[in-house]
Amino acid sequence: MRWKRRTGRTVIGLLIAGMVSAGLLPVAANAAEPTDLARGKTVTASGSHGGYPAANANDGKVDSYWESNGHPADLTVKLGADADVQSVVLKLNPDPVWATRTQDIQVLGRKQDGTAFSSLRARAGYVFNPGSNRNTVTIPVTGRVADLQLKFFSNTEAPGAQVAEIQVLGTAAPNPDLTVSALSWSPSSPSETDDITVEGTVRNTGSAASPATTVNVSLGGVVVGSAPVGPLAAGASAPVSVPVGKRPQGSYTVSALVDPTDTVVESDNTNNSRTTASPLVVGQSPGPDLEVRSITSSPANPAVGAAVTFTVAVHNRGTSAVSAGTVTRLTVGSTTLNGTTPAIAAGATANVTVGGSWTAASGGATLTATADATNLVAETSETNNTFARSIVVGRGAAVPYTELEAEKANYQGTLLQSDAERTFGHTNFATESSGRESVRLNSTGQYVEFTSTAPANSIVVRNSIPDAPGGGGREATISLYADGKFVRKLDLSSKHSWLYGNTDSPEGLTNTPGGDARRLFDESHALLTETYPVGTKFRLQRDASDNAAFYIIDLIDLEQVAAPSSQPSGCVSITTYGAVANDGLDDTAAIQRAVTANQNGEIDCVWIPAGQWRQEQKILTDDPLDRGQWNQVGIRDVTIRGAGMWHSQLYTLTPPHEAGGINHPHEGNFGFDIDENTQISDIAIFGSGTIRGGDGNHEGGVALNGRFGKDTKISNVWIEHANVGVWAGRDFDNIQELWNPGDGVEFTGMRIRNTYADGINFANGTRNSTVYNSSFRNTGDDALAVWSSKYVKDQSVDIGHDNSFRNNTIQLPWRANGIAIYGGYGNKIENNLISDTMNYPAIMLATDHDPLPFSGQTLIANNGLYRTGGAFWNEDQEFGAITLFPQNLPIPGVTIRDTDIVDSTYDGIQFKTGGGLMPDVKIQNVRIDKSNNGSGILAMGGARGNATLTDVTITDSRDGHVLIEPGSQFTVSGAPNGARAKR
């Protein structure tokens, strides 16, 4: 047997005393007994073959193993601190089906303060024989190391190195060991009006002195304060006291972490934190307390110029009633409206109609309602009287957050600005920034300070920090201040950014540093412990302990996040099936049991409470026929509800290519596989992908995939770090009897960020479906797409048709389009805002990707396109803001109307060379301003067809209003602003 996977488990015991008596281990007088220092430690490798990752070499099982993807290969155990190593034990499965093999191995080590590895044992051949040594080899070594590395040069029975288990036997070297104990707080029973101080003791239980460090205190998992800890001798301790301020009513887990940045090398780095057994309970102060729960507008989706009226729900969360007569105030834009509030008993809610109306203006606006606006009532809390939400009129999504750009804020740092052609892919930070500008912080004390325009209790930071030298990303912090007062450290990471290579193929990029880089930004988000009012100055500052080489700040989102929703009547929690929030253990089995119970009619719906829930396998329907990992059965007749996308969060820690046994290689190990009639709302799904297809075809997985069928509705779902957010549709040959294309599928309130490919793709005959009022940022392919593919049951019927993308906001696609339509009929792109595409159009109609033909009408209406278009395919092809590309089939029936195209990188509207015709394109009421490196409208030399312009305005185009290149068979009638077409 060469290198096939084997089942069955055999545990091989190793007697240390026997090894000593055999002379395999040295004996030191009064020395501690050697132990397995590798147990539970991180193991990394230079590369892995297929589903045999490095983690298999230290999982306690000999029936799983690591295999490298060739020779030479490295396997490294990170011990965490220096240890005196005596031997290395390597195991393979002792099953006799594993043939005898010889592996050529060198042992190397590196001290905790070292940078390079040195040899501990020279290269030699080691025989693994299931008969003579039960496939176990012991290599004597001597040395003090923190990282132990095996270098493999050959394997007589496999093309790569193989290790089922590695043990490193030895004893810990002298080092400090910091712990926290005796956590308490004062006052012991605080109310909302009390300032709270958390106290504890830091002790060095190690065998060497520790240098100075810090201790962080967290409430509910959020760092709220820190204190310095001086040097401690071995066995010494020191008290610490951390003020954490006033806290809202509630129950908080209290934890403290010493040496939070891991700057002190310790003998045990796993015992630095302490969490109290009992929570900190903050009581409610007696008295009234008004808060706004919601704002209702009538009409809900007003047209431009409509008169809009409002009702505000005001709740009294206090312990005593509030008399009638307080003022409830609503502001929108420059309009202020007031209403008189009736008496509200403790715990009651009143719906207050505010007087007057607002005339709806095009674009988004923030509705801000304030209870007791004139401060008549002495409340227990005066910080929770306001509530804000967005309303959209005309274009874009009504996002609940306010986005603020770094370059428009107050800052001390370096302003980054893109070049004229917005060059992409060459480590160009400004090109990949919103508005093509951002701010770089190089030095301690530099900052970006934003002034809020609406109340907020959360923040999202779009940022870039450096990659790790060897790739794979790194973590760093940045300090958040509000009105000059420290709030907390924000955790930033570059794990999901930094792709390298010059190739146009996304599968050709790599996580290994070298040459040009792209996808430079990622995002960090945090819930804050209080609501900050309008006008708060939020400062992101590089303090001395924020140790990334640089920080680039692009923008922030500030949002007033509502409290977690309550469990709906009839829904059963996943905790009933065994899930435990925030424990870091895999909850997949419990979630799957709950979903299956719902699908079988045993419960009405699945409830995912507030908390972090780890998911390492996709939720689907078990296929009793076991038709293989490429043929999947999704869930149907299921309702899944959460407490809110900020509160109920599913996450995975394992990249799909390391998960092992996943149901479908491309669809990954997280999220949901959907076949029909599934409703999912108010949750987040966070993947762990870092690449799309490169580095051994590693992919980031798909959060929501499947056939989708009828009556599927997805709302208010946050998706991040997936390969694809949503892929609707399966090939017909994937279990033909289950063919069920998406029909009437609805997506609303989606928040899709930082993917490696598409945001939402309607494929395989999806029809009559909608994406509405959703936001997309930093997608690695089309943010939205209809792909009328041919992998369907009946190509004359199963056509992608009558799909609609309406009122969506799309920003910064780093590869491909904002919105794309590939074939089909009756599809509509309306009322969207699209900005800052890296290399492709904002909107593209195309017949590449071999779709079914276009027919009927395709409508592009009332969209706003800003700083879009770009150069791709060896940077030789320049794309317009709107591009029609009939590569091999015609694109008939296109109407482009009521649209603003502003500040395009190249052309405004482009008719591209291709094999197909573009007949009778209608362009009506379109404004094209500032085509920086192209024309207002361009017909390329190989373009064929015709367009009619009506009420088209073109200004400030470098190459003229309308340019028809020599040789083109495309004609344009109706010149803009009296100008003629240019040839």
Side-chain angles (χ1 to χ4, degrees), residues 675-691:
D675 264 8
E676 187 169 63
N677 187 28
T678 295
Q679 289 78 50
I680 302 176
S681 60
D682 300 301
I683 65 171
I685 303 172
F686 294 149
S688 60
T690 60
I691 200 167

Side-chain angles (χ1 to χ4, degrees), residues 255-612:
S255 60
L257 174 66
V258 65
D259 190 31
T261 57
D262 289 335
T263 55
V264 178
V265 178
E266 304 178 58
S267 57
D268 185 354
N269 206 39
T270 65
N271 61 354
N272 286 24
S273 65
R274 172 76 63 178
T275 301
T276 57
S278 301
L280 163 64
V281 178
V282 178
Q284 183 175 3
S285 299
D289 190 10
L290 296 176
E291 61 180 3
V292 176
R293 287 284 181 86
S294 65
I295 305 170
T296 304
S297 57
S298 180
N301 297 296
V304 175
V308 185
T309 58
F310 303 94
T311 302
V312 178
V314 179
H315 177 72
N316 180 7
R317 68 175 288 273
T319 61
S320 58
V322 175
S323 301
T326 64
V327 174
T328 297
R329 178 167 294 159
L330 183 139
T331 60
V332 50
S334 60
T335 301
T336 300
L337 307 174
N338 294 312
T340 302
T341 312
I344 308 178
T349 301
N351 291 318
V352 181
T353 301
V354 297
S357 63
W358 169 65
T359 301
S362 179
T366 299
L367 307 176
T368 302
T370 305
D372 189 28
T374 56
N375 294 317
L376 293 178
V377 181
E379 302 178 61
T380 58
S381 174
E382 298 288 353
T383 65
N384 61 349
N385 286 25
T386 59
F387 174 85
R389 75 169 178 86
S390 296
I391 187 171
V392 64
V393 180
R395 299 169 179 161
V399 294
Y401 51 82
T402 301
E403 184 175 298
L404 301 174
E405 296 279 355
E407 67 271 17
K408 297 180 180 178
N410 181 31
Y411 62 85
Q412 286 187 4
T414 303
L415 178 65
L416 305 181
Q417 296 176 299
S418 64
D419 60 290
E421 295 187 344
R422 296 162 181 164
T423 307
F424 169 73
H426 303 281
T427 323
N428 306 97
F429 292 100
T431 294
E432 295 194 36
S433 300
S434 174
R436 312 294 182 159
E437 294 182 327
S438 53
V439 175
R440 179 174 176 132
L441 309 180
N442 287 320
S443 306
T444 298
Q446 292 188 326
Y447 63 85
V448 183
E449 188 172 76
F450 307 84
T451 302
S452 68
T453 58
N457 64 355
S458 72
I459 188 170
V460 175
V461 181
R462 187 168 194 265
N463 69 90
S464 180
I465 62 172
D467 195 2
R474 58 155 298 176
E475 282 69 46
T477 60
I478 196 166
S479 301
L480 174 65
Y481 293 80
D483 290 332
K485 181 180 179 181
F486 177 78
V487 176
R488 58 168 290 175
K489 294 284 190 180
L490 298 179
D491 296 318
L492 312 183
S493 175
S494 55
K495 175 182 178 182
H496 301 282
S497 50
W498 292 91
L499 296 179
Y500 301 90
N502 299 317
T503 176
D504 292 323
S505 167
E507 289 79 10
L509 298 174
T510 176
N511 289 134
T512 302
D516 291 330
R518 65 192 74 191
R519 200 192 187 285
L520 304 171
F521 285 85
D522 199 44
E523 297 179 14
S524 175
H525 61 271
L527 269 175
L528 308 178
T529 58
E530 62 182 281
T531 295
Y532 293 88
V534 175
T536 298
K537 295 184 182 301
F538 288 100
R539 175 178 289 196
L540 296 173
Q541 181 167 292
R542 179 175 181 167
D543 288 347
S545 57
D546 303 324
N547 59 4
F550 61 80
Y551 296 79
I552 297 174
I553 307 300
D554 183 21
L555 58 83
I556 65 170
D557 297 332
L558 296 176
E559 180 177 354
Q560 181 63 32
V561 178
S565 300
S566 300
Q567 182 172 339
S569 176
C571 286
V572 178
S573 174
I574 59 175
T575 58
T576 302
Y577 295 87
V580 178
N582 309 317
D583 67 348
L585 301 179
D586 190 0
D587 297 300
T588 302
I591 299 170
Q592 183 69 69
R593 285 193 291 268
V595 169
T596 300
N598 185 202
Q599 184 165 300
N600 292 340
E602 299 168 17
I603 61 176
D604 290 338
C605 81
V606 176
W607 171 245
I608 301 179
Q612 302 283 321

